[in-house]
Amino acid sequence: QDNRISIWSAGDLGNAGLNGEYQGEPHLLCDIQHNGDVMDMQFLDQERIVVASSTGTVTIFRHHQNNQTLSANHRWEKAHYHVDQDTSCGGAACTGVVCNNPEIVTVGEDGRINLFRADQKDAVRIIDNADSSTLHAVTFLRTTEILTVNSIGQLKIWDLRQQRNEPSQIFSLAGDRVPLHCVDRHPNQQHIVATGGQDGMLSIWDIRQGTMPVSLLNAHEAEMWEVHFHPSDPDHLFTCSEDGSLWHWDTSTNVSEKPSFLHQGGRSTAYLSHSTINQSVVSAWLSNDPTKDRMEITNLIPNQTLSVNSLDVLGPCLVYGTDAEAIYVNRQLFA
């Protein structure tokens, strides 16, 4: 009922103990009230955070580091709405926000795409009927192109330089139109895109070819809420789900040297190592069945029962939040 945006200090990595574990408790630096549920948020720069609300409003909060306070820096009221912006109950949830400073793109339940600039009061661009269904998530493909996923199993590419309000490409899951909830693109090979949906499956797409996923991987037993390639080591991917699991997918070379859980039964485990393949041409993610050759999957929270709603990863650190109203930090991802 009463929502807040909070900034925490997870402490300084400098004071790690002898065996590398982190000393000291995380502590709350500051917080501020937020109207509506927080649907998504992302840092715009060192001190500004863009937040998507279930009321349809998008707010930029500024973190003042000198006195540790938060203030609302700019607000686009009802950037997303069902009927019209003026009716009191007309707001539609803003489901996703992505930043590429100074640009901010938002998507929502109203099927609308907004392009804002942090320094401008009015939207730079609005694609009103971008989608007839709910847009669940958005990410940048390149500086001028975005990817969206919707509730009828479609992945779409939008070129923001084009004035027409049509996607430049549409990809879709075959058969049942399973809602897609999350999307991320490979940080180095921008044609590789991962999505996750209501059935818990992980889909890998090659946007250079075809209109269907290159591979569909059985993952979670319920909705997948978030998918992230590791930003500096994209052979590693992370997914989390309503079923209370958080999976680490590892396609890095060393997996081929050790038998993975998929190789029981006397099959040979002498696979091509990456060094024999031109890495820029072939990615483990694009083999017809990545799990057949070299992939190790680890559930990082084996006994968790409540939904894992969100995750982020950077260097050796993984952060995730769950329905237990708790945020967890794992600092030894590759230990």
Side-chain angles (χ1 to χ4, degrees), residues 303-314:
N303 304 320
Q304 171 74 14
T305 52
L306 296 169
S307 174
V308 184
N309 301 320
S310 189
L311 72 92
D312 204 1
V313 57
L314 184 69

Side-chain angles (χ1 to χ4, degrees), residues 145-156:
E145 286 182 300
I146 56 167
L147 288 163
T148 60
V149 289
N150 69 12
S151 59
I152 54 170
Q154 292 173 323
L155 167 69
K156 296 182 181 180

Side-chain angles (χ1 to χ4, degrees), residues 232-251:
S232 53
D233 197 349
D235 285 344
H236 299 268
L237 179 93
F238 299 85
T239 59
C240 65
S241 166
E242 179 71 31
D243 67 10
S245 60
L246 193 160
W247 285 17
H248 173 190
W249 307 70
D250 179 359
T251 65

Side-chain angles (χ1 to χ4, degrees), residues 65-186:
Q65 291 169 1
N66 51 356
N67 62 356
Q68 291 304 345
T69 56
L70 274 166
S71 65
N73 180 243
H74 187 80
R75 193 173 268 130
W76 290 281
E77 294 284 350
K78 289 196 185 156
H80 295 273
Y81 53 91
H82 282 308
V83 192
D84 59 67
Q85 266 174 309
D86 304 324
T87 48
S88 60
C89 57
C94 177
T95 51
V97 51
V98 64
C99 305
N100 185 17
N101 191 8
E103 300 194 310
I104 299 162
V105 176
T106 71
V107 296
E109 277 181 6
D110 52 358
R112 189 175 271 106
I113 298 174
N114 293 310
L115 173 62
F116 298 113
R117 281 183 74 99
D119 44 14
Q120 291 181 19
K121 194 163 75 76
D122 295 324
V124 179
R125 175 91 191 272
I126 297 173
I127 306 178
D128 254 338
N129 299 312
D131 215 297
S132 54
S133 64
T134 295
L135 288 169
H136 281 142
V138 59
T139 192
F140 275 99
L141 182 59
R142 294 178 187 82
T143 46
T144 55
E145 286 182 300
I146 56 167
L147 288 163
T148 60
V149 289
N150 69 12
S151 59
I152 54 170
Q154 292 173 323
L155 167 69
K156 296 182 181 180
I157 300 179
W158 304 82
D159 186 337
L160 298 172
R161 292 163 304 190
Q162 300 288 335
Q163 280 315 301
R164 33 185 218 108
N165 293 341
E166 303 287 324
S168 50
Q169 276 177 279
I170 301 180
F171 303 83
S172 60
L173 297 170
D176 300 333
R177 294 290 185 93
V178 177
L180 292 172
H181 289 304
C182 52
V183 58
D184 196 26
R185 73 151 170 78
H186 193 288

Side-chain angles (χ1 to χ4, degrees), residues 34-53:
H34 179 269
N35 197 4
D37 293 344
V38 176
M39 306 296 286
D40 197 9
M41 58 179 167
Q42 196 172 49
F43 277 97
L44 176 68
D45 56 26
Q46 286 293 322
E47 45 186 38
R48 289 180 295 175
I49 306 132
V50 181
V51 182
S53 170

